[in-house]
Amino acid sequence: MNILVLGSGGREHAIAWALAKSPRTDVLYVAPGNGGTADIAENVADLDVMDADAVLRFVVERKIGLVVIGPEAPLVAGVADGLRAAGVAVFGPNAEGAQLEGSKAYSKAFMEANGIPTAAYARFDACEPALAYVREQGAPIVIKADGLAAGKGVVVAETLEDAEEAVRDCFEGAFGDAGKTVVIEECMTGPECSLLSFVSGGKSLPMAPAQDHKRAYDGDMGPNTGGMGVYSPVPIVTDDEMAAMVAIMEKAAAATAAEPFATDYRGTLYGGFMLTPEGPKIVEFNVRFGDPETQVVLPRLKTDLVDVMAAVAEGRPQDVSLEWSDTWAVCVVLASEGYPGSYEKGKVILGIEEAEDIPGVTVFHAGTRVNADGELVTAGGRVLNVVALGDSFEEARERAYEACDLINFEGKQLRNDIGKRALQGRSAWE
């Protein structure tokens, strides 16, 4: 079949890479794509992925058999709804199901109604009551803009002053409409871990766990980012914790098929977990593949991804049986100088071919493009995802950093400690 992937980041390159390996894939399109997807698919740079009618016209014209929606914004905007209403097989939830990520207040109400363990919270639509609540609770405390804020609407406030500033930022328009409602949560403690599931027909088909590194600099210092590195599996997760996370994802999936939250959810449900002393609790749900978690999860998937996504999109979860590789995967993000703040674009990138000559190494593009001179250049904050597979955690990690050393562009920024803490065991979080 012909397949269309919507999106332009490292996640979409990894998805396209996995789909391209399938014998069921005929022509693969990525809209708008990036410098890496151009090597394995046909980029469609002028297609507005937020316009369901425009996407549908392209689907009809190119005889697309499956549409995979990568980012959250088109899902929240209802692009899947428009396509599905026209009979198109779509991997991605409808707009109502996407509220699990599109509205943190909706998500917390969903968890509360279904007995899903999460942080205690309160929601506010006005500044002064929110400030009064923060003063009553004290710090540390977590302030969240309710809507989509490009990953920047969450503040873990260590002081009361920081918490008050975060509340004011939301209500004074720092995040636009996303901050008109604010969710304030208790600050949970423990390591974080992600467990993604394929969800269809109320059934959860769990993927392999992964652990992201959100902070910009070594030692988990600096501002939060979209993710500076990740690995899978996660050695610090106990068998009991894994079983608890799987059970929570099953409960969440079942709730998407039952009133009052029934949404005919078909796609990925991302469970962001905190491994607290009381057991795993949900920090947040996302309604799409994580980035960069996808870049270490999909290389470990042995099952044909086209088979999986088609079955999920068509409501046939019973036809899916997932098989995983025993290999370890480590991803290190190469970012532009200044990220997650301001950064320059257009820096020439060299060394990717040499890096991919290392056994087990694949480089997924996140923020790249090809310029008028045919050169690959930087075009975003997170530029490349350097992924390495190995028979052990140490081997995968060594290969990833060996590959990173071979890739160069002006201002290259990376963390040098991805996975280092986990190698020390659970005690490194205590």
Side-chain angles (χ1 to χ4, degrees):
M1 67 175 81
N2 296 341
I3 301 174
L4 170 64
V5 177
L6 303 185
S8 63
R11 164 184 53 217
E12 286 76 31
H13 188 187
I15 291 170
W17 170 85
L19 293 171
K21 294 193 298 182
S22 171
R24 292 188 62 189
T25 300
D26 189 2
V27 182
L28 180 61
Y29 300 93
V30 185
N34 60 37
T37 58
D39 290 335
I40 58 172
E42 181 178 327
N43 283 352
V44 190
D46 58 351
L47 180 60
D48 183 356
V49 302
M50 297 293 289
D51 184 339
D53 291 336
V55 175
L56 180 58
R57 286 194 295 271
F58 183 87
V59 164
V60 172
E61 177 186 317
R62 302 301 175 95
K63 297 181 173 58
I64 303 295
L66 174 66
V67 177
V68 179
I69 302 178
E72 62 275 19
L75 294 168
V76 173
V79 172
D81 303 62
L83 296 174
R84 207 167 272 138
V88 179
V90 183
F91 183 92
N94 58 22
E96 189 177 354
Q99 285 301 294
L100 282 171
E101 180 170 358
S103 168
K104 294 177 180 65
Y106 176 97
S107 184
K108 295 296 281 193
F110 173 91
M111 289 184 255
E112 189 173 46
N114 290 289
I116 293 170
T118 187
Y121 79 103
R123 60 165 287 176
F124 298 91
D125 298 313
C127 188
E128 288 306 318
L131 290 172
Y133 181 79
V134 163
R135 292 165 187 148
E136 176 188 327
Q137 297 298 315
I141 197 164
V142 182
I143 314 299
K144 296 182 175 181
D146 177 62
L148 297 180
K152 298 174 183 176
V154 177
V155 174
V156 180
E158 299 291 344
T159 68
L160 190 57
E161 291 75 16
D162 288 345
E164 291 178 350
E165 181 182 359
V167 168
R168 290 191 182 96
D169 282 347
C170 287
F171 286 111
E172 290 173 4
F175 307 108
D177 289 346
K180 287 184 175 179
T181 296
V182 172
V183 171
I184 301 176
E185 296 181 352
E186 69 168 319
C187 188
M188 299 186 292
T189 60
E192 291 192 46
C193 174
S194 304
L195 181 63
L196 286 68
S197 284
F198 294 106
V199 172
S200 186
K203 303 297 182 185
S204 168
L205 302 158
M207 302 185 213
Q211 190 168 49
D212 190 10
H213 296 61
K214 287 291 186 188
R215 298 285 187 171
Y217 310 129
D218 287 5
D220 287 326
M221 304 297 287
N224 271 336
T225 70
M228 293 299 292
V230 63
Y231 50 82
S232 177
V234 184
I236 64 166
V237 175
T238 68
D239 290 344
D240 286 346
E241 286 171 331
M242 187 65 193
M245 290 192 294
V246 168
I248 288 168
M249 295 304 290
E250 288 175 347
K251 183 179 287 190
T256 66
E259 296 299 338
F261 296 98
T263 59
D264 190 21
Y265 196 105
R266 304 184 192 190
T268 302
L269 184 62
Y270 169 121
F273 285 89
M274 182 81 76
L275 305 179
T276 77
E278 298 83 37
K281 295 184 179 182
I282 289 285
V283 176
E284 63 180 1
F285 282 122
N286 291 330
V287 297
R288 35 70 189 181
F289 277 98
D291 188 344
E293 289 92 343
T294 307
Q295 290 87 302
V296 291
V297 170
L298 289 186
R300 298 187 58 224
L301 178 65
K302 297 171 72 173
T303 312
D304 188 312
L305 185 61
V306 174
D307 288 343
V308 176
M309 286 185 160
V312 169
E314 293 165 7
R316 300 181 286 105
Q318 69 278 5
D319 293 340
V320 177
S321 179
L322 301 177
E323 186 178 357
W324 298 95
S325 161
D326 290 332
T327 55
W328 291 76
V330 173
C331 168
V332 179
V333 172
L334 302 184
S336 296
E337 184 176 15
Y339 175 79
S342 60
Y343 51 85
E344 295 181 355
K345 300 178 182 180
K347 307 299 183 182
V348 176
I349 304 167
L350 300 172
I352 291 178
E353 288 185 10
E354 291 82 356
E356 291 192 320
D357 284 340
I358 298 171
V361 170
T362 303
V363 179
F364 295 119
H365 296 226
T368 71
R369 65 177 178 85
V370 177
N371 68 14
D373 296 325
E375 299 169 312
L376 184 71
V377 298
T378 64
R382 290 188 295 173
V383 178
L384 297 169
N385 307 138
V386 181
V387 178
L389 301 179
D391 291 331
S392 68
F393 197 178
E394 294 87 345
E395 182 179 54
R397 192 172 178 276
E398 288 170 5
R399 286 177 173 176
Y401 278 106
E402 181 185 354
C404 288
D405 288 342
L406 294 171
I407 299 172
N408 288 291
F409 55 87
E410 184 184 334
K412 181 179 77 173
Q413 176 181 314
L414 73 159
R415 280 186 59 165
N416 295 290
D417 63 348
I418 302 302
K420 191 173 181 180
R421 195 177 186 184
L423 286 170
Q424 302 167 17
R426 190 64 170 264
S427 60
W429 276 264
E430 297 172 355

